[in-house]
Amino acid sequence: MPAAPTASTPTAKQQWATGLTLFAAVMLLLAGMMDLFRGIMAIAHDDVFLATGGYVFRFDLTGWGWIHLILGAVALLVGFGLFGDARWARVGGVAIASLVIIANFLSLPYYPVWSIVLMAFSGFVIWALCVGRRGASGLSD
């Protein structure tokens, strides 16, 4: 009788889940850092941002700076939590990435390219966290 292996080799699905979770963690860390920097820029120097007229949404840039600063800090915390494959981090990652998309959509007229990049990063985070199965990644072993 052959001996049963003690350690199972990960399946292709488990490897994909691990990769997608790590991808989401890194992308959320990048989006969090970029949002954090954007918040600092808006709080410190309001003249850095482009002010376009005729946009439906008008907000105070200092207020938006604080919102982006807080969103960036929370995104960083959740991104680090994803490395441990925690359930709260997966749910929080989808939630914070959704809020980052909304906040960047509303602040499109002030920094359009950066807003589009952050919305794309956050979309990839949501996709990766929803596609990868929890527990199949093997990160918490």
Side-chain angles (χ1 to χ4, degrees), residues 47-123:
D47 58 342
V48 171
F49 293 94
L50 172 71
T52 59
Y55 193 65
V56 175
F57 304 109
R58 287 205 150 215
F59 301 105
D60 177 40
L61 284 178
T62 304
W64 270 110
W66 282 105
I67 290 172
H68 284 285
L69 185 73
I70 292 168
L71 281 175
V74 173
L76 285 172
L77 291 174
V78 171
F80 283 120
L82 283 172
F83 284 113
D85 199 26
R87 176 176 286 190
W88 65 266
R90 295 181 73 82
V91 172
V94 172
I96 197 70
S98 300
L99 290 174
V100 167
I101 288 175
I102 292 168
N104 281 292
F105 174 75
L106 292 175
S107 61
L108 263 171
Y110 302 110
Y111 220 72
V113 174
W114 197 319
S115 294
I116 291 170
V117 168
L118 283 174
M119 289 181 349
F121 277 5
S122 299

